[in-house]
Amino acid sequence: QGERLRASILAACGDWPSAHSLFTETLQMAYGRDLPLEIARVKAAWGKAALQYSPAPDNGRALMEDAYTIFVSHKSQSDLFAF
């Protein structure tokens, strides 16, 4: 959770390259630990940041769609509510 927040802050402060790197690293760790809800949370945070701050915001939409699909498939109501 802390890394997601840190990456989001980096993006908001205009350091998209660092934010992108940290989101990538955080997502790889979640995949490596087979944590589907964390994968979705990272994708949701990354997607939101991309839509707001990335020079290529279209990637954000795909990340958000992936996150939503995972939340639905795992019936994670709290994540869907926050989404």
Side-chain angles (χ1 to χ4, degrees), residues 40-76:
R41 291 175 189 130
V42 172
K43 287 185 174 191
W46 192 352
K48 181 179 177 183
L51 289 171
Q52 293 176 335
Y53 308 112
S54 170
D58 291 340
N59 296 336
R61 189 172 316 282
L63 288 163
M64 297 291 283
E65 290 172 3
D66 287 349
Y68 181 80
T69 300
I70 294 169
F71 291 146
V72 169
S73 71
H74 285 82
K75 298 179 178 143
S76 181

Side-chain angles (χ1 to χ4, degrees), residues 24-36 38-39 42:
T24 301
E25 179 183 318
T26 304
L27 187 60
Q28 288 172 345
M29 286 191 309
Y31 272 114
R33 293 185 174 113
D34 193 27
L35 300 169
E38 185 59 22
I39 291 166
V42 172

